[in-house]
Amino acid sequence: MAKNTKLELTWIGKDTEVVIEPRILLEVPEKGHSFKVNKKGQTTFLNDNNATFENMLIHGDNLLALKALEQDYAGKVKCIYIDPPYNTGSAFEHYDDNLEHSTWLNLMKPRLELLKNLLRDDGVIFASIDDAEVAYLKVLMDEIFGRYNFIANLPTIMNLKGNQDQSCFAGTHEYTLVFAKDKLQIRLYNYLIDEDEVLRDWEEDEIGLYKKGATLKSTGEESARIDRPKMFYPILCKNNQAFSITEEEYNKLYNSVNNKFNDEFLKNICDKYVKEGYEIILPYKNENEYGRWRWGFDNFFSQFNTEIIVLKSVHGLSLYKKQRPTIGDIPTTKPKTLFYKPEYSSGNGTAQIKKLFGYNAFLYPKPEDLIKDFITIGSSPNDIVLDSFLGSGTTSAVAHKMGRRWIGIEMGEHAYTHCKPRLDMVVDGTDQGGISKSVNWKGGGGYKFYELAPTLIIKDKFDKEIINPEYNASMLAAAMAKQEGFVYYPNSTNCFKQGYANEKSFIFTTTNHLTHEYLNEIANSIAGDEYLVVACKSFASGIEKLYRNITIKKIPQTLLGKCEFGKDNYNLNIISLPTTDEVEE
């Protein structure tokens, strides 16, 4: 065995490097949407290039989109939530366990690496996953983020009654993996809950917390003694404590053979226990008819010491069951490792989507309340929240309502048919579902819509690499700045400074042939202590050595081999969304 090996997950194709083209993003102003109310209370909608909103809805392959964001947003995103397609047979055309896992991991790894780069040093990522892939994803994220930066694996209950379609066990939960960019710097937030007020309704005994539950006496239909004979018996009380008769005494109260109650024996044992200082409580349906208890005798006999509350009033003694807290009954300011609220139900998410679009547009959508809690824990207002598997747009919609800046990436046509319409409804305030009422959402803000630029380099009919003719001069300048690691920011006073790396380093891209005279003109426009990269399609022989502070690069030759051009799709082979005809109403 080789020395100094490390614990890691290995799969077919892991070592194949993916060198992604850093493309530019093209704003589509007419697809953006913003909202404001003027001084007269009139609503206006702005779809122009001058909108100041930073929220971004991006249509395109999410690996290419993440790479496009890397230069401008590296280290700036506070909270990431992803709900990637789970690695099940339904997500792949042909199911092959070994091939499928390798394919899924190969596609997840570069995305997670880019997501890590985008996170702030105090940032956090939440990743939803099912039990089939949680172990693989955990080890993969350990490798990328560092095992030390693991925060939690949250069982997230989406269906408390259980999914009966799942074999062997009724599935109730998924998982949410939580990792920090840097655990030493991470900043997480608590819920805004008054724990003292929450606990005010609860008392504590030797078992734990409890409060007064339902009355032990049965009410409503079939609450007469004859309806459930085995649930009729006297209960003894002394010093505000419930006690039980013996099992032998209970068995003599009712004869199941002749279906008769032994009321004479009942009177005798009641008289016996009264002489011993007990008060007797019998269930009555009305003044003239015996009722029954909610518990059978065996249940009562095993729990009367700990689970019964005896209350005394002017009307006598009353018995109540102790209600013990169940999952979600006692919220705390600090998030719990078991993630559950009734609002997290996948059915709730489906209802929210159906209300928005009129039909079940997505299978098992995440409810807004669940995403709200992740965003609450992982960010504060004005922080950037990112979702690179946007789906129906839930993360961006919730982030918007919560006053966060957001970036949402979706590759499918539903970026147009679902994400955009949903976010339009959020912006103009017509979306009043989900968390809207809890955060008092009335509308406002806006977003810009972006498409990925096409690949920069293509091959002509002679199989020669050329600059994509779809690129105009400004697109080419922006693309070259990104390719060379410069920030595209045209100088308003010097046209030869189209981008910068620092205060002394610039880039200029031209589609003209670079002559000696043209280069002299460029050189005269920059200071002697400044450095300039000039990218051009062609240049005169020998001029590349004329100026020490000017480097000339020929495109596309200077870019060849730097990344993978011409690939537009790194998708996860995701199954198509259901249509209105395919989904039951």
Side-chain angles (χ1 to χ4, degrees):
M1 180 179 291
K3 294 182 179 180
N4 299 323
T5 57
K6 63 178 180 179
L7 180 66
E8 62 179 323
L9 186 64
T10 301
W11 64 88
I12 298 170
K14 177 182 179 180
D15 296 329
T16 302
E17 186 179 4
V18 180
V19 186
I20 309 152
E21 178 185 359
R23 300 197 189 179
I24 59 173
L25 293 171
L26 303 176
E27 185 186 353
V28 187
E30 64 272 16
K31 286 187 170 65
H33 190 74
S34 56
F35 165 97
K36 71 176 183 179
V37 179
N38 63 22
K39 293 180 180 179
K40 296 181 180 180
Q42 298 170 323
T43 300
T44 58
F45 299 93
L46 308 175
N47 291 319
D48 60 58
N49 205 29
N50 296 319
T52 59
F53 305 105
E54 295 185 57
N55 301 323
M56 303 173 71
L57 176 56
I58 303 170
H59 173 243
D61 180 272
N62 62 4
L63 187 59
L64 288 167
L66 288 172
K67 187 65 177 178
L69 291 168
E70 186 178 34
Q71 185 183 53
D72 293 330
Y73 287 91
K76 294 183 179 180
V77 177
K78 179 63 176 69
C79 177
I80 294 173
Y81 173 76
I82 58 170
D83 184 13
Y86 299 163
N87 188 16
T88 62
S90 62
F92 291 81
E93 184 178 357
H94 302 290
Y95 184 82
D96 180 295
D97 187 70
N98 188 38
L99 176 61
E100 179 185 352
H101 281 84
S102 295
T103 302
W104 191 80
L105 290 165
N106 280 329
L107 293 166
M108 288 302 299
K109 181 175 180 286
R111 287 165 171 82
L112 289 170
E113 289 170 339
L114 283 168
L115 289 169
K116 179 188 177 184
N117 290 342
L118 292 171
L119 271 180
R120 277 171 27 181
D121 288 341
D122 63 348
V124 62
I125 180 172
F126 299 86
S128 290
I129 197 70
D130 69 355
D131 54 1
E133 289 303 326
V134 62
Y136 290 92
L137 184 60
K138 167 63 167 63
V139 178
L140 177 61
M141 295 183 75
D142 280 344
E143 185 175 332
I144 293 171
F145 288 87
R147 189 171 180 180
Y148 175 79
N149 289 316
F150 170 68
I151 301 297
N153 182 0
L154 308 174
T156 307
I157 297 177
M158 307 296 297
N159 184 354
L160 195 58
K161 66 180 181 180
N163 177 9
Q164 301 304 314
D165 295 334
Q166 187 168 319
S167 63
C168 299
F169 297 93
T172 62
H173 70 282
E174 298 175 356
Y175 294 93
T176 305
L177 293 174
V178 187
F179 276 80
K181 174 73 170 288
D182 182 346
K183 200 171 184 178
L184 294 176
Q185 300 188 58
I186 188 174
R187 184 174 183 185
L188 299 180
Y189 302 88
N190 290 342
Y191 298 133
L192 297 176
I193 295 172
D194 187 338
E195 288 192 24
D196 292 337
E197 184 174 341
V198 170
L199 293 173
R200 201 168 292 149
D201 296 332
W202 297 85
E203 298 181 62
E204 190 168 8
D205 58 16
E206 64 276 10
I207 293 178
L209 294 174
Y210 73 91
K211 63 181 176 181
K212 187 176 80 171
T215 176
L216 194 62
K217 188 177 75 171
S218 178
T219 58
E221 295 183 4
E222 297 187 353
S223 59
R225 176 172 72 164
I226 193 62
D227 294 325
R228 302 288 293 275
K230 292 291 186 179
M231 301 180 82
F232 174 81
Y233 46 88
I235 292 177
L236 316 177
C237 289
K238 184 187 288 186
N239 300 325
N240 292 324
Q241 172 67 48
F243 296 90
S244 175
I245 61 174
T246 68
E247 291 183 88
E248 183 181 0
E249 290 168 335
Y250 168 74
N251 289 329
K252 294 179 180 179
L253 291 174
Y254 175 72
N255 189 327
S256 58
V257 176
N258 57 23
N259 198 30
K260 286 187 178 180
F261 292 95
N262 190 343
D263 285 343
E264 182 177 350
F265 179 74
L266 173 66
K267 181 178 183 304
N268 290 338
I269 62 170
C270 287
D271 290 343
K272 166 194 165 184
Y273 282 110
V274 167
K275 289 179 181 178
E276 295 179 8
Y278 292 96
E279 294 184 69
I280 310 299
I281 303 179
L282 289 165
Y284 284 91
K285 184 175 177 63
N286 53 53
E287 291 183 359
N288 302 312
E289 182 181 9
Y290 281 125
R292 66 174 179 87
W293 301 113
R294 292 179 186 269
W295 283 356
F297 181 76
D298 289 345
N299 197 12
F300 174 79
F301 189 77
S302 65
Q303 298 190 72
F304 72 86
N305 281 317
T306 61
E307 302 305 313
I308 300 296
I309 298 173
V310 180
L311 293 180
K312 192 169 188 177
S313 68
V314 294
H315 302 292
L317 295 176
S318 298
L319 303 176
Y320 297 89
K321 297 186 293 182
K322 285 185 179 179
Q323 179 183 328
R324 300 290 181 180
T326 58
I327 297 173
D329 276 350
I330 304 179
T332 58
T333 56
K334 191 172 184 177
K336 298 177 182 178
T337 55
L338 181 63
F339 234 63
Y340 172 73
K341 287 181 183 178
E343 296 85 357
Y344 294 169
S345 164
S346 56
N348 190 29
T350 299
Q352 290 168 6
I353 291 296
K354 191 170 183 179
K355 184 176 180 181
L356 286 168
F357 300 113
Y359 69 103
N360 298 349
F362 284 77
L363 299 175
Y364 313 116
K366 295 296 185 288
E368 289 197 7
D369 294 88
L370 174 64
I371 305 304
K372 175 190 174 186
D373 282 352
F374 289 144
I375 293 175
T376 297
I377 296 166
S379 68
S380 58
N382 291 319
D383 284 341
I384 298 176
V385 174
L386 183 148
D387 186 343
S388 56
F389 296 91
L390 192 57
S392 64
T394 303
T395 302
S396 293
V398 173
H400 197 105
K401 294 175 185 179
M402 294 177 67
R404 273 63 168 175
R405 293 179 290 161
W406 54 264
I407 301 172
I409 303 169
E410 186 48 57
M411 62 177 291
E413 286 300 303
H414 45 290
Y416 307 119
T417 59
H418 294 83
C419 297
K420 175 175 165 49
R422 180 176 190 173
L423 291 164
D424 288 346
M425 287 186 277
V426 171
V427 170
D428 61 36
T430 56
D431 172 10
Q432 286 299 302
I435 67 166
S436 292
K437 289 183 173 56
S438 66
V439 299
N440 194 31
W441 180 251
K442 302 298 183 184
Y447 66 89
K448 293 182 178 182
F449 192 101
Y450 294 86
E451 296 279 2
L452 276 170
T455 185
L456 177 57
I457 296 176
I458 63 172
K459 289 187 177 181
D460 64 13
K461 62 182 180 179
F462 303 107
D463 204 34
K464 181 181 178 182
E465 287 88 356
I466 62 171
I467 297 171
N468 192 331
E470 293 185 41
Y471 275 69
N472 58 33
S474 59
M475 289 172 60
L476 180 60
M480 285 305 301
K482 185 178 285 286
Q483 287 280 350
E484 294 296 317
F486 289 77
V487 177
Y488 179 64
Y489 192 84
N491 189 297
S492 59
T493 60
N494 189 333
C495 65
F496 299 120
K497 295 179 179 179
Q498 296 172 332
Y500 66 90
N502 54 55
E503 61 180 10
K504 295 290 186 179
S505 183
F506 306 93
I507 188 171
F508 170 63
T509 300
T510 178
T511 56
N512 294 325
H513 176 73
L514 190 62
T515 64
H516 189 286
E517 293 75 20
Y518 193 10
L519 182 59
N520 288 337
E521 180 184 353
I522 294 171
N524 290 333
S525 71
I526 62 172
D529 61 345
E530 292 180 333
Y531 173 74
L532 181 69
V533 172
V534 179
C536 60
K537 289 184 177 181
S538 61
F539 56 88
S541 178
I543 67 170
E544 68 272 20
K545 298 179 181 179
L546 290 178
Y547 295 95
R548 290 185 177 181
N549 63 338
I550 297 179
T551 297
I552 302 174
K553 295 189 175 185
K554 187 177 181 180
I555 48 177
Q557 285 76 8
T558 189
L559 302 176
L560 299 181
K562 293 183 65 173
C563 60
E564 188 174 26
F565 292 102
K567 186 163 183 177
D568 294 318
N569 193 332
Y570 292 87
N571 70 47
L572 288 165
N573 197 20
I574 304 168
I575 55 174
S576 299
L577 289 173
T579 65
T580 52
D581 296 330
E582 296 171 332
V583 181
E584 293 183 5
E585 292 293 330

